[in-house]
Amino acid sequence: MAGWRRAVELAITDEEIETLKALSRSRTEPASRVSRAAMLLAYREHRSFFAVGQKLGVHHQTVQRCVERAVAYGALAALDDRPRPGKEPVITPEAKAWLVSLACDKAREHGYPHELWTTRLLARHAREHGPAAGHECLAHLVQGTVCKLLGQEEIKPHKVRYYLENRDAEFEQKMAEVLCVYREVQVLKKAAAKKKPGKPVAIVSCDEKPGIQAIATTAPDLPPVPGAYATFARDYEYRRHGTLSLLAGIDLLTGKVHALVKDRHRSREFIEFLKLLDAAYPASTAIKLILDNHSAHLSRETRAWLDTRPAGRFDFTFTPKHGSWLNLIEGFFSKFARSVLRHIRVASKHELKQRIMAGIDDVNRHPVIHTWSYKLAEAA
């Protein structure tokens, strides 16, 4: 006949009691730890496994095991599961290292038409070639296991993260030259505020925005309906009418935008833009341009036209290669694309040109003087 279950003496310190109380009220701890903390606290009041089990809605043997672990290992140690031997891993560390090394290659390097691995392709390759490489445990490898193993090593061979290589050995020097021009803009602004006239200078940040699509709708847009449709509705189909290029420059002292819209942006279009700037400023004004290294800005045709102008009329400052972000006009293009060009639909390229120029006119009615501040304190 089985003997009576006797109450177990459970010694818990005051500090452990406070910790158990906090755990029993927690909403973020694992449920098993919260439940065991409640069992130990309840057992201090009712030294009966059966009574505690009834109160907490668990089996009395569960309470008994928890209390006995607390007596043997301590109250806080009893909250966690005891380590179990578990099943021996099927995939050996050597096979895992081989698989990870394989994932760090490109799929095309192993004879596949794919550029990068997919987890399914990687699993298939491991099944077919793993045993021959001495890893028999990979003969039945499945896609889910591949995902788990790569996740442990934080490797995502199916994704590409882009970076920009610095290919300009003189990047710092050219950046300093651009920043010096922005410093000059600050000096000229302060001089103008103090009404100290100097040599007339115009500083223009310019660039091209190519590939602006002239897209037409094939059905009318449907307007919003209060209480029913919150947004405009547009048919998925559309018709292309070609693209246009916007050549623009923003005067960093006045905020005025000079713009030209053309089908292309070759040397002849850039020279036409320079003629537009030439006509916009008095003959005595020196025009300083900040621009990138586009071939049209450096071409023989452009240099030949500049040679026809008076000395000092135009002065070019080029951003370093892969450093077009140093050009302030890029911020204007971003804002213009979001406010004017986004979702735009037109019936023809001519209408698109009119809409772009109307947008430029609207900007010039309320010009914004752009200011560059990044790393300006480092400029010489």
Side-chain angles (χ1 to χ4, degrees):
M1 178 177 177
W4 291 95
R5 287 186 297 273
R6 296 181 180 181
V8 177
E9 289 291 336
L10 178 60
I12 307 179
T13 65
D14 293 340
E15 184 179 349
E16 289 175 334
I17 291 173
E18 293 301 320
T19 303
L20 292 173
K21 287 181 178 179
L23 287 172
S24 66
R25 296 190 298 267
S26 175
R27 295 190 177 186
T28 57
E29 288 286 333
S32 60
R33 288 172 57 84
V34 174
S35 176
R36 289 165 185 167
M39 290 180 203
L40 296 179
L41 290 173
Y43 186 77
R44 288 183 64 254
E45 299 176 5
H46 309 284
R47 294 177 57 186
S48 166
F49 302 138
F50 187 79
V52 173
Q54 274 196 326
K55 180 181 178 180
L56 299 180
V58 296
H59 198 277
H60 61 84
Q61 290 183 350
T62 303
V63 179
Q64 182 178 354
R65 285 194 297 268
C66 179
V67 173
E68 289 175 349
R69 283 205 302 271
V71 171
Y73 305 109
L76 299 183
L79 302 179
D80 297 314
D81 292 328
R82 286 178 294 180
R84 296 178 175 85
K87 183 182 177 181
E88 287 293 328
V90 175
I91 299 179
T92 63
E94 293 78 11
K96 180 180 176 181
W98 180 81
L99 183 69
V100 171
S101 175
L102 184 68
C104 293
D105 296 336
K106 287 187 175 182
R108 65 180 177 85
E109 296 174 3
H110 294 269
Y112 293 98
H114 311 67
E115 180 70 12
L116 303 177
W117 292 109
T118 64
T119 51
R120 182 174 284 107
L121 179 63
L122 189 58
R124 191 183 81 192
H125 182 88
R127 288 194 301 269
E128 294 175 354
H129 298 87
H135 308 294
E136 192 66 36
C137 58
L138 298 178
H140 303 288
L141 185 68
V142 295
Q143 181 186 7
T145 306
V146 171
C147 295
K148 185 185 298 183
L149 294 177
L150 296 183
Q152 292 173 357
E153 300 297 326
E154 297 184 358
I155 295 177
K156 300 177 181 178
H158 59 288
K159 290 189 175 183
V160 175
R161 182 177 62 85
Y162 287 88
Y163 72 98
L164 195 60
E165 184 179 353
N166 185 0
R167 293 190 175 94
D168 196 333
E170 301 176 350
F171 188 95
E172 296 293 334
Q173 177 185 342
K174 293 178 181 178
M175 180 176 70
E177 293 174 359
V178 176
L179 296 180
C180 284
V181 177
Y182 290 141
R183 172 61 65 82
E184 184 180 356
V185 172
Q186 277 194 344
V187 173
L188 291 173
K189 286 179 180 177
K190 291 178 181 178
K194 295 179 180 179
K195 298 183 179 179
K196 293 182 179 180
K199 183 180 178 181
V201 176
I203 301 179
V204 181
S205 171
C206 64
D207 200 4
E208 297 87 12
K209 183 175 179 60
I212 303 175
Q213 295 192 72
I215 298 178
T217 56
T218 57
D221 289 346
L222 304 179
V225 177
Y229 304 104
T231 65
F232 279 92
R234 174 171 288 169
D235 190 88
Y236 280 104
E237 291 188 4
Y238 57 87
R239 186 178 298 110
R240 297 176 189 264
H241 292 298
T243 60
L244 292 175
S245 293
L246 170 62
L247 293 79
I250 184 168
D251 191 315
L252 301 183
L253 297 173
T254 66
K256 178 180 173 59
V257 178
H258 305 276
L260 196 66
V261 179
K262 292 292 180 180
D263 288 344
R264 302 174 68 179
H265 57 289
R266 301 163 296 178
S267 296
R268 66 185 69 178
E269 284 80 19
F270 180 62
I271 292 172
E272 189 174 346
F273 177 71
L274 293 178
K275 291 178 180 178
L276 178 69
L277 293 178
D278 195 27
Y281 295 99
S284 59
T285 301
I287 305 174
K288 295 187 176 183
L289 270 65
I290 301 173
L291 64 172
D292 61 19
N293 296 273
H294 190 276
S295 58
H297 305 160
L298 306 164
S299 66
R300 182 170 52 190
E301 294 89 339
T302 300
R303 293 198 302 269
W305 183 85
L306 290 172
D307 290 340
T308 65
R309 308 311 301 148
R313 175 60 166 171
F314 285 94
D315 182 19
F316 287 5
T317 299
F318 294 100
T319 59
K321 189 177 294 185
H322 288 175
S324 59
W325 53 271
L326 285 164
N327 203 342
L328 248 173
I329 191 68
E330 298 294 345
F332 167 77
F333 280 153
S334 175
K335 183 179 179 180
F336 192 77
R338 285 182 278 113
S339 60
V340 178
L341 301 179
R342 187 184 183 194
H343 301 312
I344 194 169
R345 293 295 183 267
V346 293
S348 64
K349 289 172 66 174
H350 178 69
E351 182 186 347
L352 177 61
K353 178 178 179 179
Q354 288 182 322
R355 296 274 294 275
I356 292 174
M357 293 308 298
I360 297 295
D361 292 339
D362 184 70
V363 170
N364 285 333
R365 276 194 290 272
H366 307 282
V368 176
I369 299 178
H370 291 63
T371 303
W372 183 277
S373 58
Y374 178 67
K375 286 192 174 183
L376 198 59
E378 303 176 14

